[in-house]
Amino acid sequence: MKIKNTILKMLMIMAAVIITGCSKTDRKNTTVQAQEPAEPEWNTDDGYICVLFGHGFEEDSEEETVFLNRLEEKFGFEENGGLILPVFYEKDLNSRIWNFSDYISDKKIKGIIILGAPANTHKVLSSIQDSYEEGIPYNIFSLFPTDNSILGQEMTSNIVLEYELSIQDETEGRDVDQGPNEETTEIIINAIKYMSTLNEVLPVSWDLIENVKHITGTRTVRHYVDSIAPIPSMNHFLIKAPVTEGSDSEQSKNDGEVLSEEFDLEL
């Protein structure tokens, strides 16, 4: 009887090995098709991505018109059932940033992206924050700001992102073109895409740099450090500026290097 039981167990083990081997062979020979990432679903109940077009991003040049047309084609504007609620600093707010909170007061907002933030933008955002007992329930990204209060920007935005001036640019008093061009347009599109996927407010932490990479791709990015109080900011970031005409060629190449990988989430 013991011999029969032993033989029976051996047969069962052999059968299991054969079945397992066949399963592994089947798995090896099975071709798995890569699936495209699901497109973010959006409807008016989710709220709009409000884009404030500030200094350098208005409709008064050919480059800016092309830029606006590209955003409208990519995402659509609110008046046509699209994702973006556009607000133009000069045209819609009469060049008074204080009108911004009233302009968006009756709109459902999923997030705000400010391009070329005018002076005192941080004060308006602070007043909007004060209108919520538990804080603004959406994210605010400030890209390429001109608001001269660095601390104010950092206090009222989840992410602040701008170009880093090279030493030669600073020495010679040159500014980097932060208006609409091929690179800034790509960054802005990435920011809108990424914001559309966020369902929670980003906490201020050192880990924010990982969130910023969704916007900048693999471009060189670092924390902003104030020259007076050399303490890095947790939510203010600098990216290497494009090559500036007249800069030392090799240094400019290194400073302006842009890697090829991009944040890829199609709407």
Side-chain angles (χ1 to χ4, degrees):
M1 182 64 71
K2 291 182 178 179
I3 294 175
K4 289 183 178 181
N5 290 338
T6 302
I7 293 173
L8 181 59
K9 289 180 180 179
M10 290 178 65
L11 290 173
M12 292 175 65
I13 293 171
M14 290 175 63
V17 170
I18 292 171
I19 292 171
T20 303
C22 291
S23 298
K24 289 181 178 178
T25 301
D26 291 342
R27 286 199 294 272
K28 288 180 181 177
N29 294 333
T30 300
T31 301
V32 179
Q33 297 293 331
Q35 296 183 351
E36 293 293 328
E39 295 184 356
E41 296 181 1
W42 177 84
N43 56 58
T44 53
D45 293 334
D46 296 327
Y48 299 98
I49 303 296
C50 175
V51 180
L52 172 60
F53 298 90
H55 293 311
F57 292 92
E58 292 279 0
E59 261 183 304
D60 59 358
S61 74
E62 182 178 350
E63 292 81 5
E64 286 150 7
T65 299
V66 170
F67 162 68
L68 293 172
N69 289 341
R70 187 173 175 189
L71 289 189
E72 185 172 15
E73 180 180 313
K74 187 78 174 175
F75 302 104
F77 285 169
E78 175 255 357
E79 62 182 1
N80 298 316
L83 174 65
I84 295 176
L85 170 65
V87 180
F88 297 96
Y89 171 63
E90 294 180 1
K91 182 176 64 176
D92 295 327
L93 306 182
N94 296 319
S95 299
R96 291 181 56 82
I97 193 62
W98 298 104
N99 294 329
F100 180 61
S101 56
D102 289 337
Y103 193 91
I104 66 171
S105 61
D106 62 343
K107 303 291 186 180
K108 184 170 184 180
I109 304 298
K110 181 177 176 63
I112 296 176
I113 294 178
I114 302 172
L115 308 177
N120 296 317
T121 299
H122 66 284
K123 294 182 179 179
V124 175
L125 295 177
S126 179
S127 68
I128 295 175
Q129 286 179 334
D130 291 342
S131 67
Y132 292 92
E133 292 183 2
E134 298 181 0
I136 294 179
Y138 50 77
N139 292 283
I140 298 175
F141 298 166
S142 181
L143 309 182
F144 316 117
T146 59
D147 189 339
N148 55 10
S149 174
I150 294 174
L151 182 60
Q153 294 174 56
E154 295 171 350
M155 293 290 290
T156 54
S157 301
N158 301 88
I159 290 174
V160 180
L161 180 66
E162 60 185 324
Y163 280 123
E164 176 182 13
L165 288 176
S166 68
I167 294 176
Q168 184 167 349
D169 284 329
E170 291 182 337
T171 301
E172 298 181 9
R174 291 182 297 193
D175 290 328
V176 174
D177 178 15
Q178 299 196 134
N181 54 51
E182 185 175 346
E183 176 158 307
T184 57
T185 298
E186 178 189 316
I187 289 171
I188 292 164
I189 287 175
N190 285 350
I192 296 171
K193 288 180 182 178
Y194 184 54
M195 181 172 280
S196 73
T197 69
L198 296 175
N199 294 316
E200 60 182 6
V201 177
L202 297 175
V204 177
S205 73
W206 294 112
D207 294 334
L208 271 177
I209 195 165
E210 297 302 320
N211 300 91
V212 172
K213 290 177 182 178
H214 288 294
I215 301 173
T216 61
T218 53
R219 292 174 174 83
T220 303
V221 59
R222 71 174 182 85
H223 290 271
Y224 171 85
V225 179
D226 189 276
S227 58
I228 299 176
I231 301 174
S233 168
M234 285 193 287
N235 68 334
H236 188 172
F237 303 90
L238 302 176
I239 53 177
K240 292 292 184 180
V243 176
T244 304
E245 184 179 354
S247 299
D248 178 79
S249 59
E250 186 62 32
Q251 183 63 39
S252 295
K253 180 180 178 182
N254 293 334
D255 288 347
E257 182 179 9
V258 177
L259 302 180
S260 60
E261 184 179 336
E262 301 174 3
F263 175 64
D264 186 17
L265 178 61
E266 292 295 334
L267 272 174

